[in-house]
């Protein structure tokens, strides 16, 4: 089949020293992957094209890049699926990481964040007398996270990292969950208190916007965002709820559990804390603007019809939550 | 054509202009809406952080109510749409989970089969209503208006839960509708990114950086306004745009319109009836350009 691969190129050591797009019209087998097209270009058309790849089987995680604007593995994407109606595939380096050359990015920060979450078991409970027997279900659950091949696709498309490089990011947070959810990690009950405390800090689990980009980008079904949500649940249960993120989800649930709908006036107040005067004063300009434009939520919050059923459900399902 | 209507909390709370605008255009389009006064909040993904089962149970409850009426479910919020679709996806892929949820709904006399497909008004107009039926009602096409689409995360990801594979047209539905109403689509990178609203009270600086980035990008590409099917995006992109502009040290001034408002304008409904005077970013220059008056 005939197609055009439009590659975003960059060479810091040669003119124009700025990223630019270059089109490569090629002819290739129907079953070719996007990686095949790039290797074809490198070998047959332009030997200066730089890219990383190794296993070509979605195992090594080397060839993560943006294909048509979204991160994925070039070796796992069929060229015929990626082509638009004009036979064009747009390929650019992974996002949120500095470009070294063409499609090669610098993963230093990615690895530093993985190291930051201490990716190894840290048992703090009493030492077992013999080998530590882990329930099958726990390992089955963890296998979804250990499937991570550290390709960086999730980091590439993370909307928070785009505006704040200090955010731990989806890969490192999912890796952290791999240990907080491991019954061998943490105290005698398997609660990784120290990890959860650190991960509750600024730049940690509560900074995720739940945009879902990482779930979409991950080629191995790790669903980092879902792991971040599970971390939040673990942190609240472990008592690390003295922060805006935890207060936000608790106040939200409380409001819906009590009235059936969200009390939008109360939520921000409870999130920052009712004694946090500076933060409350910070809401004033926005509140005033909303008031003068007739946009302020109703001052008296109404219950939904049949609210007693929602209250019962809330009571019952919150009680099922293990104690802190 | 009739739907069980799930307006969500924000269309009657922080964006009180959305609910009446949606009802008004549905009335003009001949789409009958039956409200469910006992339906609870979808949880917006926030409640699900703490207790997914509670969130999913409330959404199953809402969908069971629509099912009992024998009606499809219409949403007007990307977040409601996505959260309900995700709950549905979990229940469909795990029958034991659905059964557990149903056991909790029994007391209220409700049972959910898992068969309801919540649908945003945006999808309904294209898939069920049909643009061919909408076009004759467009009496005041939005010619000359340059509109940038902004979807809201929950209506685009994860695609698995949203039926995107069966309905690939959903990925460009907003552009399709903008063009059908006679306006010019301003395509930009940020259209499917996050508006930053979920972390507004958690990391305001990052949230404002997101608002600033997307609205500036659209503005610099020549957009007269941005259109969103998500009132939560609207809260941040409109309500917090002045703050985002000051953080970004630049003027922005990009009106953010709700989806039903552009449909209403194209059908000749007055801007006032559509609540355009209630926006934080001034919509008057836009209306002058459109010749619709302030």
């Amino acid at each position: 089949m005939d197609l055009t691969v439009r590659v975003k190129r960059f060479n810091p050591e040669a003119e124009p020293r700025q990223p630019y797009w270059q089109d490569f019209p090629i002819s290739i087998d129907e079953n070719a992957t996007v990686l095949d097209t790039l290797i074809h270009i490198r070998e047959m058309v332009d030997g200066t094209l730089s890219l990383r790849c190794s296993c070509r089987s979605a195992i090594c995680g080397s060839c993560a890049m943006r294909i048509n604007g979204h991160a994925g593995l070039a070796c796992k994407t069929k060229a015929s699926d990626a082509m638009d109606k004009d036979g064009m595939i747009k390929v650019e380096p992974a996002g949120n990481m500095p470009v070294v050359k063409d499609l090669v990015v610098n993963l230093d920060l990615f690895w530093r964040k993985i190291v930051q979450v201490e990716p190894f078991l840290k048992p703090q409970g009493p030492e077992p007398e013999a080998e530590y027997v882990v329930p099958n279900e726990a390992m089955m659950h963890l296998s979804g996270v250990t499937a991570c091949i550290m390709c960086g696709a999730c980091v590439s498309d993370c909307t928070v990292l785009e505006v704040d490089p200090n955010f731990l990011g989806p890969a490192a947070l999912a890796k952290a969950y791999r240990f907080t959810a491991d019954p061998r990690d943490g105290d005698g009950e398997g609660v990784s208190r120290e990890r959860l405390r650190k991960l509750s800090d600024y730049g940690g689990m509560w900074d995720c916007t739940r945009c879902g980009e990482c779930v979409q980008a991950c080629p191995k079904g790790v669903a980092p965002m879902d792991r971040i949500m599970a971390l939040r649940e673990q942190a609240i249960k472990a008592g690390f709820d003295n922060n805006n993120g935890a207060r936000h989800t608790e106040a939200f649930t409380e409001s819906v559990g009590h009235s059936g709908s969200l009390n939008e006036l109360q939520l921000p107040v409870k999130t920052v804390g009712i004694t946090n005067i500076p933060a409350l004063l910070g809401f004033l300009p926005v509140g005033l603007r909303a008031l003068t434009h007739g946009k302020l939520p109703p001052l008296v919050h109404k219950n939904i019809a049949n609210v007693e059923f929602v209250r019962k459900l809330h009571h019952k399902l919150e009680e099922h939550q293990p104690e802190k | 054509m009739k739907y069980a209507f799930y307006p969500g909390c924000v269309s009657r709370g922080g964006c009180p202009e959305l609910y009446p605008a949606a009802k008004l255009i549905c009335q003009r389009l001949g789409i009958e809406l039956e409200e469910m006064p006992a339906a609870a909040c979808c949880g917006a993904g926030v409640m699900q952080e703490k207790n997914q089962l509670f969130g999913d149970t409330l959404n199953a409850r809402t969908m069971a109510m629509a099912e009992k009426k024998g009606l499809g479910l219409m949403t007007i919020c990307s977040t409601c749409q996505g959260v309900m679709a995700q709950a549905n996806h979990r229940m469909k892929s795990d029958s034991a989970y659905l059964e557990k949820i149903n056991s909790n709904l029994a007391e209220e006399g409700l049972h959910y089969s898992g068969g309801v497909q919540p649908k945003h008004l945006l999808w309904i107009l294209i898939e069920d209503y049909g643009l061919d039926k909408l076009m004759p009602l467009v009496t005041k096409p939005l010619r000359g208006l340059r509109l940038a689409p902004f979807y809201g995360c929950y209506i685009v990801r994860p695609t698995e839960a949203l039926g995107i594979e069966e309905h690939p047209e959903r990925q460009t539905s907003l552009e399709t509708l903008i063009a059908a109403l006679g306006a010019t689509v301003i395509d930009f990178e940020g259209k499917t990114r996050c508006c930053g609203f979920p972390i507004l009270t958690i990391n305001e600086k990052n949230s404002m950086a997101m608002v600033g980035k997307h609205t500036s990008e659209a503005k610099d590409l020549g957009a007269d306004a941005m259109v969103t099917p998500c009132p939560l995006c609207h809260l941040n992109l409109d309500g917090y745009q002045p703050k985002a502009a000051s953080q970004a040290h630049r003027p922005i001034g990009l009106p953010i319109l709700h989806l039903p408002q552009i449909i209403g304008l194209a059908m000749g409904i007055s801007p006032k009836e559509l609540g355009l005077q209630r926006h934080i970013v001034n919509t008057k220059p836009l209306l002058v350009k459109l010749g619709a008056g302030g």
Side-chain angles (χ1 to χ4, degrees):
Chain A
M1 68 185 161
D2 296 326
L3 53 93
T4 302
V5 187
R6 178 169 286 180
V7 185
K8 196 175 217 177
R9 304 207 56 185
F10 170 64
N11 182 354
E13 290 167 2
E15 290 305 329
R17 295 177 202 274
Q18 291 290 328
Y20 63 96
W21 291 98
Q22 186 175 0
D23 286 1
F24 295 98
I26 58 166
S27 222
I28 200 159
D29 186 81
E30 299 279 336
N31 295 314
T33 63
V34 173
L35 181 61
D36 292 333
T37 68
L38 295 170
I39 292 174
H40 175 91
I41 292 167
R42 190 179 62 185
E43 288 178 359
M44 315 299 284
V45 187
D46 184 345
T48 68
L49 179 68
S50 297
L51 64 136
R52 271 199 197 104
C53 63
S54 179
C55 76
R56 308 177 192 201
S57 321
I59 294 167
C60 75
S62 302
C63 66
M65 55 187 73
R66 276 190 176 157
I67 301 161
N68 299 326
H70 300 283
L73 295 179
C75 71
K76 203 183 173 223
T77 311
K78 274 183 82 175
S80 55
D81 291 342
M83 253 162 43
D84 67 12
K85 57 182 189 322
D86 303 318
M88 167 87 76
I89 304 172
K90 274 166 85 177
V91 179
E92 52 193 312
N96 291 329
M97 287 173 268
V99 180
V100 178
K101 184 174 180 283
D102 296 335
L103 301 170
V104 178
V105 294
N106 182 331
L107 285 146
D108 284 355
L109 196 57
F110 173 90
W111 292 115
R112 271 215 297 280
K113 286 173 178 172
I114 298 283
V115 170
Q116 201 182 326
V117 301
E118 302 181 292
F120 41 83
L121 283 173
K122 290 174 76 182
Q124 279 150 351
E127 226 171 272
E129 283 168 17
E131 73 271 32
Y132 195 114
V133 182
V134 179
N136 270 343
E137 320 70 88
M139 281 293 118
M140 288 298 289
H141 177 64
L142 283 181
S143 68
V145 204
T146 51
C148 173
I149 54 173
M150 313 253 195
C151 65
C154 58
V155 164
S156 159
D157 285 11
C158 173
T159 47
V160 178
L161 283 170
E162 200 170 78
V163 297
D164 183 4
N166 290 319
F167 177 46
L168 258 179
L173 284 166
K175 183 57 74 187
Y177 177 75
R178 183 255 167 272
F179 293 97
T180 62
D182 192 311
R184 295 167 293 182
D185 195 82
D187 64 20
E189 269 75 55
V191 180
S192 311
R193 303 189 60 81
E194 195 45 32
R195 287 187 198 274
L196 291 168
R197 186 185 61 76
K198 278 192 201 158
L199 294 167
S200 298
D201 276 352
Y202 205 69
M205 64 172 94
W206 293 104
D207 275 23
C208 163
T209 64
R210 298 191 306 274
C211 74
E213 290 275 13
C214 57
V215 178
Q216 199 63 38
C218 177
K220 301 305 260 187
V222 172
M225 180 187 85
D226 294 350
R227 314 302 176 175
I228 300 172
M229 295 310 112
L231 277 175
R232 291 179 178 180
E233 200 173 340
Q234 287 176 339
I236 292 175
K237 274 185 205 159
F240 299 108
D241 52 5
N242 186 21
N243 57 63
N244 285 7
R247 274 192 294 269
H248 183 247
T249 179
E250 290 192 321
F252 197 116
T253 311
E254 194 55 42
S255 167
V256 177
H258 182 74
S259 68
S261 67
L262 178 63
N263 187 335
E264 290 173 69
L265 276 184
Q266 223 175 53
L267 183 67
V269 175
K270 285 195 168 174
T271 299
V272 298
I274 47 170
T275 53
N276 187 350
I277 306 297
L280 293 176
L281 288 175
F283 288 139
L284 274 183
V286 175
L288 276 176
R289 262 201 305 267
L291 185 67
T292 53
H293 287 79
K295 269 183 80 87
L296 211 59
L299 291 173
V300 181
H301 183 67
K302 280 199 212 140
N303 295 336
I304 59 164
N306 298 351
V307 71
E308 63 276 17
F309 286 104
V310 173
R311 285 183 186 158
K312 268 188 204 166
L313 283 172
H314 179 232
H315 187 69
K316 185 175 172 189
L317 300 176
E318 283 287 288
E319 265 186 357
H320 279 187
Q321 299 256 305
E323 288 295 308
K324 276 175 193 168
Chain B
M1 185 170 251
K2 189 173 175 183
Y3 290 90
F5 182 34
Y6 185 76
C9 303
V10 179
S11 76
R12 293 167 295 179
C15 288
E17 64 282 357
L18 173 57
Y19 174 75
K23 292 233 307 191
L24 186 58
I25 68 139
C26 283
Q27 191 194 350
R28 297 280 182 98
L29 293 168
I31 299 176
E32 212 181 318
L33 302 176
E34 191 171 323
E35 298 214 23
M36 299 176 288
C41 169
C42 73
V46 179
M47 224 157 64
Q48 285 77 357
E49 292 168 355
K50 183 168 185 279
N51 190 337
Q52 186 163 287
L53 178 62
F54 180 46
D56 286 355
T57 306
L58 290 187
N59 286 315
R61 182 176 170 269
T62 303
M63 290 188 273
M65 287 174 193
E67 199 165 41
K68 204 170 182 178
K69 293 178 192 292
L71 295 173
L73 183 73
M74 179 176 115
T75 63
I76 50 170
C77 167
S78 298
T79 306
C80 295
Q81 175 62 42
V83 169
M84 292 183 126
Q86 286 173 27
N88 238 356
H89 189 64
R90 281 190 286 272
M91 291 186 277
K92 274 186 194 164
S93 48
D94 185 349
S95 55
Y97 187 56
L98 176 61
E99 208 171 297
K100 185 175 169 188
I101 285 174
N102 269 321
S103 72
N104 286 322
L105 296 181
E107 196 182 334
E108 205 177 341
L110 290 169
H111 182 270
Y112 181 47
S113 75
V116 174
Q117 301 283 346
K119 259 191 178 181
H120 195 288
L121 170 67
L122 173 64
W123 296 349
I124 286 176
L125 287 175
I126 293 171
E127 295 165 23
D128 301 358
Y129 192 82
L131 293 180
D132 51 334
K133 216 167 128 194
L134 175 69
M135 296 307 273
L137 300 170
V138 176
T139 51
K140 294 239 167 96
L142 309 176
R143 260 179 228 121
L145 219 54
R146 297 157 64 86
L147 299 177
F150 195 89
Y151 281 86
C153 300
Y154 279 87
I155 204 168
V156 286
R157 287 177 300 269
T159 46
E160 204 185 21
L162 291 162
I164 304 283
E165 210 162 291
E166 306 89 79
H167 294 281
E169 72 279 4
R170 287 180 179 174
Q171 285 174 304
T172 47
S173 49
L174 201 45
E175 287 92 324
T176 305
L177 198 71
I178 290 172
L181 299 175
T184 306
V185 177
I186 298 293
D187 198 8
F188 75 114
E189 238 176 58
K191 70 182 173 187
T192 56
R193 306 291 273 172
C194 179
C195 71
F197 184 66
I199 52 165
L200 177 62
T201 47
I202 294 156
N203 190 329
E204 189 183 279
K205 193 168 158 246
N206 286 356
S207 182
M208 289 307 101
M210 290 177 196
V211 173
K213 187 173 164 38
H214 306 317
T215 50
S216 308
E217 189 191 353
K219 181 85 182 180
D220 293 346
L221 286 167
D224 297 310
M226 195 178 260
V227 183
T228 182
C230 184
L232 278 68
C233 294
H234 188 275
L235 279 178
N236 223 28
L237 297 171
D238 178 58
Y240 278 82
Q241 201 182 109
K243 201 162 195 176
S246 104
Q247 184 174 303
H249 304 293
R250 60 162 286 173
I252 302 174
L254 182 73
I256 313 293
L257 306 182
H258 297 289
L259 174 77
Q261 289 175 327
I262 61 161
I263 300 165
L265 286 173
M267 287 165 75
I269 300 175
S270 81
K272 197 164 179 208
E273 276 182 284
L274 296 165
L276 281 149
Q277 72 287 1
R278 288 180 126 175
H279 291 211
I280 300 299
V281 178
N282 191 0
T283 54
K284 273 194 186 138
L286 174 83
L287 298 172
V288 168
K289 186 168 179 186
L290 193 61

